[in-house]
Amino acid sequence: MNRLEATLRRIDGKGFGAYKDLGGVYRGDDIELRVDHIQGDPFAAPSRFALRRPLSGVGVPPALVEGDNAIAVADFLTRQVALALPHVCRGRRGSGKSGTVRIDAPKQEILERTSAVIADGMVEIRLEVGLPAEGRRILGRHAFEMLARELPAVADRALSAKHLPLAALEAHLAAALDQRAARAQLAGAGLVAFVAEGATLPRLSGVDPRPLSGAAVPFGPVPDSLRVTLRLPHAGDVSGLGIPAGVTVIVGGGFHGKSTLLDAISLGIYDHIPGDGREQVVSIGETMFVRAEDGRRVTGVDISPFISDLPLGRATTSFTTDDASGSTSEAAAIQEAVELGAKLLLIDEDTSASNFLVRDHRMQLLVEKEQEPITPFIDRVTELYEVAGVSTIMVLGGASDYLDVAHTVVHMNNYRPLDVTRRAKEICRLHPNQRRPEGAAPYILPPARVPAPESFDPSHGRRPERVKTRATRSIRFGKTEIELDGLGQLVDDSQARAIGDLLLVLSRDQTHAQRSLSELVAALEARVQAEGLAAVLAPGMGNRAAVRSLDLGATINRMRTLDIPSKC
Ligand code: ADP
Ligand code: MG
């Protein structure tokens, strides 16, 4: 730390570039400050520093960070740092980002992220620091105050045995472990999702994922016929709605909470923080929300089970378009998801192409099957389950035809779930549907597609690699823009940045020639699992979070540069 002071004294008042002299590692009593990157000027992306302290100094018992548990513990520590920052850091002073200290703070989910890394008995917190300057002139005294006073104060407040709220940490970890245990029990119980009684499903707003407080109706009571009790390691016995594998339809009047339930299930792939309201809502990890996304790119996908005989004789066994329609995009999304290993599809009528969902009896009379390329989803949903083991949960307020094919029908009434399966079957018996099933040929699984290595070209002009993300909306990769709006299960900007990094890893790794898309993303996922997120992604970055191979694969499927050479 003396060295730090000496350096800052020396470069005080010099041009901003002299900050580069700071590089290296500084040690104090049981704390370490590592410089990972120094920004080019006060307006550029901030500098990156890592604060390191032994677990013992942080007060985390070693038993708490065994195996995967380290992820939830690190998540907790990131939040502690985020809480401490405004108390101990003075904030902006000088030009541009001067004086700011930031951490990539998590939201409702507990995700592995690079803002806190626990390894080899050390906790490493990665911070973004705006080094202070007036214009381009270094403010050495302020820099010393930030680096030698504020950052250690952050560590003292958020990362010290004296201040660590151990009970809250244990509750955080227990919540995560319970959710993992619940998820692990689903398959054995014949379920694809579980929604605990009393859960708070609605969110504060369409742009604020925190729980709706006050006005929220707790989930339940759950009808006995669908009631399941899971035994969790910490919470004990928890009862709730068990959604069985197969075809489930959620019906109900408009504004009665159908989409909110489906949304909660779609995020049940993640562990949630205590108090989120959905910390006992879980779904199997292979859950994929699929929707219509007209205008998207589709590359070499076999959509023939759903769409064949397009006008002008276009083939649909290897369908490519730069501008998909609502129905072709939804068909492609399903086939891509199944190819990548999805076992539960979530479909909401709000975001579906209606002609893809069903063609009703009278439309069948008016437009003959021969003139309609689409085999609607209703005629494949049962086969998807029976042939491919892929379950579906659908939200439908209008199309009663699905009552014929549903195994389970849940009625959301004033935000309360009712089991109306028997009544629905009774109605089907009394009012037989005259609709004829379509889709003559049996459903076959989509074939594995092998991307050409050139698909992943990160170059732009003279720059060999250019990747830039815009929130969870899009990634600019080389010369191409990848739109992510269709991927509703991405919840964190840091996940999009991680995807950008993983695409770069793919582009550098030339050994991926001749490997299928699902092999590629599975191999990357395995690598992240073995080496840790921070080791695989761009080194030293503190704003990356874990993504599923399903979402990475779905991103690749949306790349306009994706090339799937046809087999000879
Ligand atoms: P639907 O899909 O049935 O039309 P939504 O799920 O979109 O209905 O919900 C309609 C509105 O009700 C939304 O503003 C949502 O936040 C709110 N909401 C959903 N569930 C609950 C609940 N349990 N308690 C209070 N409000 C809720
Ligand atoms: Mg809705």
Side-chain angles (χ1 to χ4, degrees):
M1 285 294 178
N2 297 338
R3 186 161 55 87
L4 180 67
E5 187 171 7
T7 308
L8 287 172
R9 224 187 267 285
R10 182 167 53 73
I11 63 175
D12 184 31
K14 293 200 175 156
F16 201 91
Y19 265 135
K20 298 275 183 216
D21 294 356
L22 278 181
V25 178
Y26 301 90
R27 294 197 175 80
D29 324 326
D30 98 334
I31 187 155
E32 220 176 85
L33 183 64
R34 191 186 67 218
V35 183
D36 285 332
H37 169 75
I38 297 286
Q39 70 208 93
D41 68 68
F43 298 91
S47 304
R48 298 193 304 272
F49 285 79
L51 265 182
R52 290 164 53 81
R53 177 168 265 181
L55 268 173
S56 53
V58 180
V60 176
L64 283 196
V65 295
E66 272 163 22
D68 279 353
N69 296 11
I71 292 174
V73 173
D75 177 273
F76 183 83
L77 296 176
T78 308
R79 292 169 198 271
Q80 290 294 111
V81 171
L83 286 175
L85 286 178
H87 291 280
V88 294
C89 297
R90 218 180 87 192
R92 276 202 58 184
R93 59 201 100 158
S95 316
K97 302 194 170 85
S98 288
T100 56
V101 182
R102 276 196 65 243
I103 189 161
D104 180 42
K107 291 185 278 204
Q108 300 306 110
E109 294 78 19
I110 300 173
L111 295 174
E112 180 179 12
R113 48 201 318 132
T114 57
S115 57
V117 180
I118 297 178
D120 308 324
M122 296 288 282
V123 176
E124 178 174 314
I125 297 289
R126 294 176 178 178
L127 299 165
E128 292 185 345
V129 175
L131 289 171
E134 194 63 61
R136 287 190 48 87
R137 229 163 34 81
I138 288 176
L139 295 173
R141 264 206 13 249
H142 286 289
F144 183 74
E145 194 180 300
M146 289 178 70
L147 301 178
R149 300 272 180 268
E150 292 184 358
L151 296 192
V154 170
D156 269 349
R157 197 175 169 113
L159 304 169
S160 78
K162 197 165 88 209
H163 292 127
L164 184 77
L166 194 57
L169 168 61
E170 281 168 347
H172 198 78
L173 181 57
L177 293 178
D178 274 355
Q179 290 172 77
R180 265 184 261 157
R183 217 170 279 119
Q185 286 173 40
L186 291 177
L191 305 175
V192 287
F194 173 84
V195 184
E197 216 157 20
T200 302
L201 304 188
R203 301 293 96 184
L204 215 45
S205 81
V207 293
D208 190 335
R210 289 175 297 169
L212 179 68
S213 50
V217 177
F219 189 75
V222 171
D224 286 341
S225 49
L226 292 174
R227 174 185 295 270
V228 170
T229 301
L230 301 181
R231 179 153 292 179
L232 305 183
H234 297 277
D237 286 354
V238 175
S239 298
L241 176 76
I243 299 187
V247 179
T248 300
V249 172
I250 300 170
V251 300
F255 230 65
H256 277 249
K258 303 183 299 296
S259 296
T260 302
L261 173 59
L262 196 70
D263 189 54
I265 293 169
S266 82
L267 298 184
I269 54 171
Y270 296 121
D271 298 338
H272 292 90
I273 55 171
D276 174 67
R278 312 209 271 205
E279 63 269 44
Q280 288 176 338
V281 179
V282 291
S283 54
I284 56 172
E286 303 83 9
T287 296
M288 202 69 191
F289 195 105
V290 292
R291 53 173 295 172
E293 257 178 283
D294 56 332
R296 66 160 280 199
R297 157 85 172 204
V298 173
T299 311
V301 178
D302 181 2
I303 56 169
S304 62
F306 298 104
I307 296 166
S308 52
D309 307 317
L310 281 181
L312 310 176
R314 285 186 68 180
T316 57
T317 49
S318 178
F319 182 72
T320 298
T321 177
D322 255 317
D323 186 8
S325 66
S327 51
T328 49
S329 64
E330 200 158 356
I334 289 172
Q335 292 294 80
E336 290 165 346
V338 173
E339 180 189 345
L340 288 167
K343 291 292 171 212
L344 172 62
L345 304 177
L346 305 179
I347 297 179
D348 193 329
E349 64 180 354
D350 291 353
T351 48
S352 286
S354 61
N355 61 338
F356 178 73
L357 294 185
V358 70
R359 247 157 59 79
D360 69 13
H361 172 56
R362 293 197 293 193
M363 194 55 86
Q364 285 182 330
L365 295 179
L366 185 64
V367 179
E368 283 162 37
K369 175 60 192 148
E370 289 64 44
Q371 295 154 14
E372 171 56 90
I374 301 177
T375 298
F377 187 65
I378 188 169
D379 294 315
R380 294 297 187 196
V381 66
T382 309
E383 279 178 291
L384 262 175
Y385 179 58
E386 289 173 356
V387 176
V390 177
S391 297
T392 299
I393 304 177
M394 300 183 77
V395 161
L396 290 167
S400 73
D401 304 87
Y402 275 90
L403 300 182
D404 286 315
V405 295
H407 300 117
T408 308
V409 185
V410 176
H411 179 187
M412 285 305 286
N413 191 25
N414 290 312
Y415 312 127
R416 298 200 154 85
L418 306 169
D419 182 359
V420 294
T421 310
R422 277 182 52 192
R423 172 136 178 73
K425 294 298 164 189
E426 182 71 7
I427 288 171
C428 291
R429 201 174 56 77
L430 293 174
H431 307 273
N433 198 346
Q434 299 189 53
R435 179 178 189 282
R436 278 169 289 126
E438 300 176 344
Y443 179 82
I444 43 163
L445 285 162
R449 290 171 302 145
V450 178
E454 305 77 61
S455 305
F456 310 98
D457 177 8
S459 71
H460 185 267
R462 286 193 308 271
R463 294 171 59 180
E465 290 183 346
R466 185 185 69 163
V467 183
K468 208 172 158 59
T469 60
R470 205 158 47 83
T472 56
R473 303 266 72 88
S474 67
I475 301 174
R476 189 166 261 282
F477 187 78
K479 293 183 262 308
T480 183
E481 184 91 19
I482 316 168
E483 285 124 42
L484 304 178
D485 293 299
L487 305 184
Q489 289 164 290
L490 290 181
V491 291
D492 200 307
D493 300 354
S494 300
Q495 292 181 305
R497 288 187 281 264
I499 292 178
D501 287 353
L502 292 171
L503 293 177
L504 270 182
V505 172
L506 278 179
S507 74
R508 292 174 193 149
D509 176 6
Q510 286 307 315
T511 62
H512 61 67
Q514 295 312 311
R515 279 162 100 190
S516 72
L517 181 56
S518 40
E519 286 167 349
L520 282 178
V521 295
L524 263 184
E525 182 164 78
R527 225 183 111 187
V528 169
Q529 216 126 57
E531 300 173 29
L533 194 63
V536 178
L537 301 186
M541 301 303 283
N543 57 358
R544 306 291 197 261
V547 287
R548 300 183 301 166
S549 59
L550 273 172
D551 288 315
L552 174 62
T555 304
I556 295 172
N557 276 318
R558 282 160 179 74
M559 290 178 79
R560 291 184 187 271
T561 50
L562 181 61
D563 178 22
I564 309 280
S566 51
K567 296 197 190 77
C568 318

